[in-house]
Amino acid sequence: MKKLFKLIILAAVIAMAIPLNSGYAKAEPLDEKGFSGIWVATVLNIDYPSKPSADAEVLKQEAVKILDDAKRLGMNAVFLQVRPSGDALYKSRFYPWSKYLTGRQGLAPGGGFDPLEFWVAEAHKRGIELHAWINPYRVTKKTISEPKHDINSLDPANPAVRNPDWVVKHGDGNLYLNPGIPVVRKYITDSVMEIVQNYEVDGIHMDDYFYPGKSFDDKDAYSRYGKSFKDINDWRRENINLLVSEISETLKMHSPAVRFGISPFGIWANKSSNSLGSDTRGAQTYYEHFADTRKWVKEKTIDYIIPQLYWNIGYSIADYEKLAAWWIDVAKGTGVDLYIGQAAYRALNSDPASPWYGVGEIEKQLDMNSQNPEIKGSVFYNYSSIAKNPPLFSLLQAYYGKRDEIQAGIPVSIAVPGDDIKTRYDQYYICGSSDPEKPLLLNGEPVENRSSQGFFGILVKLKEGANTFAFSQEGSSSAVSIFKEAASKPPEKMKKAEILSSSVFPRSQELRMPGEKIILSCQAPIGSKVTVAIGGKSYAMDPSSTTKAIDGGIYSAAFTYAYTIPSYTGNPRNVDLGAPVYKMSYKGMTNSVKAPAKIGVVMKNSPYYAEVIANGIFTYPAPDGNNGGIHELQKGMTDYATGMTGDYVRLAMGQWVDKKSVRTYTGQSRMRAKVSKVTYTAGESWDKLTLGISTPSLAVASYENGELRLAIAGLAEGVLPKLPEGALLSCVETKVKEGDGEYILKLKKDQNIAGYYIEKTDKDIILNIKRPVSGKSGPYPLSGIRIMLDPGHGGDSLGAVGPLGKEYSEKVINLKTAMKLKYELESLGAQVLMTRTEDKAVSLEERLAASKTAKPDLFISIHSNSMADNIDISKVNGFSVFYRDAHAYPIAEEIHYDTIKSLNRNDKGIHKKSFYVFRGTWTPSILLESGFVPNPAEFEWLIDDDEQSILAKSLAQTILKYYTE
């Protein structure tokens, strides 16, 4: 059933070009003849099981019998009561096993049997939706023989036992959770999401059990939480509104394919009590259950509503026909599906004078429903009433009959490349979507490699010039043109023989140490002789090409010379070599160009310094900011400068910094740093090593193999700290060498850290060391742990593009997966922070800043992968994890291993990389690549709501294990 739903949504996305995350698509009935369902009640063993049993085979047999009957009746939905009275018919960490299932609350069925899992699987085999029906607040449902307010009959795992302050003793002798307590509302919402994350249910359903009546004893809660309400009744209604809206929002965010509906008592309000009410004189759910069901429809909070119209046509107090018309008016234009709750149980009446004698009333009501297109179907209460009434069974069987399947018409669409393009590749990967039920042709030849939903990906060969690729299938076609350019770019034709002044190197100051090589370069005519003069010597340069032009024209080539920086003696200093002068000789013509900038030598031990002029500056392993920042520097930190090229300055530590972030100058002498005082403080979350230092020396930290190393520029001598009891360290050592030195902090055996970072004051360098955090026991084991999730890309940054193109690119997948993981982690008690919760642009700088400000216990960047356009990505699949810092490796390794094993994903490895978001050493930072977007089968998995829920749950369980084991 869910696969068919996805095909329908897929067709809509392709045809209308609407992103799947732009609003949440509500599941439509899968049958044009209408929706038909049946309630299966478990409370008091009304329908299932017929009597309690722990025997899995008995429970299975009864379930199969009910589902087989539902199929014979032509039902396309079953509403199974899975939470009858503060207990569950499924494995739950929120509620104990139901006493109606096995005979004793908390007693599990034998053999690890999970009834809900079985019901879902068997229903779907029969093409039937399974809606999980819950009673949110009811804790007990006493019989006449049972004691009132019987808390002793409840299992210790029952929320009423764990949280007695949540419970209200009502006048009917039963116990209820108090709707007015916010934590109760969260508990119920979390428990609902437990169902949809663990089971492939098609819907979450609640009936009319909200407040059990007006005399509910909730005055204490009202005085505490209802201060903004003058009327306790308005406060009560708002409590129910909040529960319904929060469940709705959470479902739409994390499980949009799961529908949410309610079957209230059929009268919202009588017209005599409320001008908006119906022409009736019965009980009113608005005033007695405090359920504003009309509001939920009008505000589209729910996906469907099933008013229980359990009265006959013409009944003076509550006329079925009048109520149906009232509900039609409420639902019209809202998009909320209106189904009618039909009183099948009343058709058992044996009084010939009753309108409910026989099946005539049900038949008339169904006929009336069919005349009103706003009524989309019916749901019958209850299964046993139909099973025990052969005439009614036969009526419904004949009425509904067999259903016609919906076929989704999906046009051919090419997603990659999105437009006609030019390339130098010899081959190119094309992917897109098609109707899976029809053959797909490429230039008249069958395309065999397609996913079950019709996504295709194929690597095509390119010949030089224009290449047209036309995909077609019955009634639909799409084509793209790929122009293959020549493999190599021809030389650029010159207007005259000369050295191009814009090509000479360097364009800005260059500094190197003796013995280093530097490439001197310029552009000059092919066939010319070019030399470069520097430091009083001249050198012949080598051309990149010697091919003569056929047309006799002048064409340019690159000329280069690898120049070795010379050595000098005497006092350490910087030596100016001047600007290189390039000379050309071509067919009797000469030309000379002087470079616009100079080259210099930084001798060893030269007192040439670079002072950091802003906080939060990062170093790079090469003179290129794209290589990933390594160390964070603070304003005032100073190191020797040993090189300069382009926009970057090299520090003595070997790293490069942006030239604009430092001030370079020549000092009178070499820096000599002395650490005269060191203290170590052991804290609850962070330990601190504070060093009093005599100079503004640059300091950077690194962590590997159980050692933290604090390197300090110019360190000549330093004292050691006294380690307090409870310190993370076993000892601290110093190592001093020419030019710099370091403190070596050795961790105790088997001790780990969870992060580190450096602060700088006028006189001190402070190394902050984060202690590992641990989970707790109880229902929220991750409480107190803060995790930041970073859905990659967003806004104009699409990320990888797959078979559905821009409308369902990587940015959409990342956000959906992140939101699912957010829910899973929050349900375990974690505080989850997000770098984005909607489709908006968030820069890498903003993501890192968010991490730095929050300093979470874990940072996870969520991505999906791709490859170069000349790779056959249809053959590339799998899951990979990336990290940089040693303290991030353990969680990276655990997530990698568990995901590969539990989800049977192809192993694409665990990799050490310097991604931008990894710059924050204050927390373990990892990046997940969950799959390859352009791969048809992978894409199908990535957009499958259920599969991503499984992925999120798996990740959350691994994180839980990491923090608790």
Side-chain angles (χ1 to χ4, degrees), residues 667-683:
Q668 296 299 314
S669 61
R670 295 281 289 176
M671 182 166 57
R672 181 179 174 83
K674 178 180 179 182
V675 175
S676 57
K677 181 181 179 182
V678 182
T679 59
Y680 186 98
T681 306

Side-chain angles (χ1 to χ4, degrees), residues 17 60 77 87 164 187 193 205 208 272 389 467 523 570 636 642 647 705 793 800 823 840 879 904 922:
K60 288 179 182 179
D87 50 14
Y187 193 92
M193 293 310 299
H205 180 75
D208 56 339
S272 59
N389 189 339
N467 298 262
Q523 291 280 334
T642 62
D647 294 328
N705 300 322
H793 303 284
Y823 163 74
K840 69 175 184 179
F879 178 86
N904 196 29
W922 45 77

Side-chain angles (χ1 to χ4, degrees), residues 741-804:
E742 63 181 353
Y743 274 76
I744 304 170
L745 288 67
K746 296 186 177 182
L747 298 178
K748 291 177 179 176
K749 185 179 180 181
D750 298 325
Q751 177 67 60
N752 294 312
I753 63 171
Y756 62 92
Y757 69 98
I758 290 175
E759 293 178 287
K760 183 185 180 304
T761 67
D762 290 341
K763 297 181 180 180
D764 295 329
I765 293 172
I766 303 168
L767 176 61
N768 298 273
I769 311 168
K770 187 170 187 177
R771 290 177 170 266
V773 296
S774 299
K776 303 175 182 178
S777 60
Y780 299 108
L782 294 183
S783 61
I785 295 176
R786 300 165 74 241
I787 299 173
M788 178 168 283
L789 300 182
D790 173 44
H793 303 284
D796 293 335
S797 177
L798 302 177
V801 175
L804 288 181

